[in-house]
Amino acid sequence: MDNSWLQLNLVEDEEIPLFRTALLIAQDEYPQLAAAEYEARIDGYFRQLRTELSPALLPAAQLQHLNRFLFEEVGFAGNEVDYYDPRNSYLNDVLDRRIGNPISLAVVQLELAQRLDIPLQGVSFPGHFLVRLPVDDGLIVLDPYQKGRSLDETELRSRAQGYFDAAREIDDHHLARMLEPASHRAILTRMLRNLKAVYSEREDLARAVRCSDRLLSVDPHQHEEYRDRGLLYLRLEHIGAAREDLRRYLKLEPTAADADAIRLQLAEISSVPARLN
């Protein structure tokens, strides 16, 4: 495994370079990817924006200019044709094709905002990943998938409601919690989980396992990933690796809701011939 991956769980969240690590995810799929070329492209966008933006502008006005540049001049957009195309999660593809999913587009937006000292933050909202800008009288919340469109409180409640029981009211406190800023570690985790879900749905189990590996590199405290990876290994008939991961999951989460089911699974594979290891 690349040393950069090994080091991720050793550093504080604010030390994780979001854009560069997102390129690292893409490098798994594209081993010959020249990360420096994509960093140079972002740097070119930054230099152009820096010459156009007046430091006297308020952050909200600067963000409006950034969005106009990204989504109108350069032409970044959400992939409306194939939302679940894995290329939507690989940053090199997003930069080359100028289409992506909400979180990959947000990573581009966040990287430029950071370089421009615009205090933009990611939001791990249900459904679409969003971004937020704190302002004096509250928050501006935007959807990168819809070209940085601003979302009001009514629409945010409506979007959130679709992911909860209809009888459950989304009160102010609950909405505020859903709009809390996402850490770099949380953003990378969501990117990898999106990819894992896509590959699992496509029965591309080897790539799904790779996503689980990377999730554990980003945050080894995601204990459910040992379970998920173990079950993926089982489907790939890597029995020894499956046993190891499932046992580790039970050791870390002995009272989990699915612990008995996992114990039963382990009992069933204990007699599988060693030749399948």
Side-chain angles (χ1 to χ4, degrees), residues 12-263:
E12 297 297 324
D13 182 77
E14 61 272 12
E15 297 173 7
I16 296 176
L18 180 61
F19 185 82
R20 190 174 304 164
T21 308
L23 280 174
L24 203 58
I25 293 172
Q27 208 152 25
D28 276 337
E29 185 66 16
Y30 302 97
Q32 304 307 315
L33 185 151
E37 292 181 11
Y38 293 96
E39 291 186 1
R41 192 176 306 177
I42 281 289
D43 196 50
Y45 291 158
F46 161 66
R47 288 197 305 271
Q48 183 174 343
L49 281 163
R50 186 176 56 182
T51 62
E52 297 171 356
L53 280 176
S54 166
L57 288 174
L58 292 174
Q62 291 180 324
L63 179 59
Q64 187 176 28
H65 188 97
L66 166 59
N67 286 342
R68 185 165 57 248
F69 172 81
L70 266 186
F71 300 117
E72 295 180 20
E73 292 182 36
V74 183
F76 281 92
N79 189 342
E80 301 281 1
V81 176
D82 189 355
Y83 187 87
Y84 297 104
D85 186 334
R87 292 178 296 175
N88 295 336
S89 291
Y90 292 128
L91 214 51
N92 61 318
D93 279 322
V94 174
L95 289 165
D96 286 341
R97 302 168 70 222
R98 298 181 187 177
I99 58 174
N101 59 24
I103 196 164
S104 62
L105 294 169
V107 167
V108 175
Q109 197 179 17
L110 288 165
E111 176 67 15
L112 286 170
Q114 180 184 358
R115 292 179 182 222
L116 293 163
D117 293 323
I118 302 171
L120 194 65
Q121 301 165 319
V123 176
S124 199
F125 202 75
H128 283 191
F129 190 89
L130 305 174
V131 295
R132 54 173 257 172
L133 180 72
V135 292
D136 289 341
D137 55 349
L139 289 174
I140 298 173
V141 182
L142 311 169
D143 187 346
Y145 191 72
Q146 297 183 337
K147 300 188 175 183
R149 184 171 69 83
S150 179
L151 308 175
D152 62 21
E153 186 176 328
T154 300
E155 184 169 358
L156 288 167
R157 288 184 192 279
S158 175
R159 287 189 179 200
Q161 192 69 65
Y163 292 87
F164 297 95
D165 189 311
R168 181 177 180 180
E169 182 182 354
I170 307 294
D171 60 26
D172 291 347
H173 175 71
H174 196 191
L175 184 62
R177 287 190 60 188
M178 286 189 283
L179 291 172
E180 288 179 355
S183 68
H184 286 183
R185 191 169 263 113
I187 294 171
L188 294 165
T189 293
R190 184 155 170 171
M191 289 185 79
L192 285 163
R193 283 185 175 157
N194 285 348
L195 270 172
K196 187 179 77 168
V198 167
Y199 286 132
S200 296
E201 180 68 24
R202 295 179 177 208
E203 294 291 312
D204 191 340
L205 303 183
R207 284 185 169 89
V209 165
R210 184 179 71 196
C211 293
S212 278
D213 287 341
R214 296 321 195 187
L215 280 160
L216 287 165
S217 296
V218 171
D219 184 1
H221 300 294
Q222 301 176 79
H223 298 162
E224 71 280 0
E225 284 307 320
Y226 290 110
R227 175 202 62 204
D228 290 0
R229 188 174 66 178
L231 294 173
L232 286 165
Y233 276 139
L234 187 58
R235 293 173 65 188
L236 287 165
E237 298 189 341
H238 296 323
I239 305 301
R243 284 194 191 109
E244 183 178 342
D245 271 350
L246 296 178
R247 285 170 180 162
R248 184 178 299 182
Y249 172 66
L250 289 174
K251 183 177 180 180
L252 293 167
E253 298 289 345
T255 61
D258 60 354
D260 287 342
I262 297 299
R263 289 187 186 98

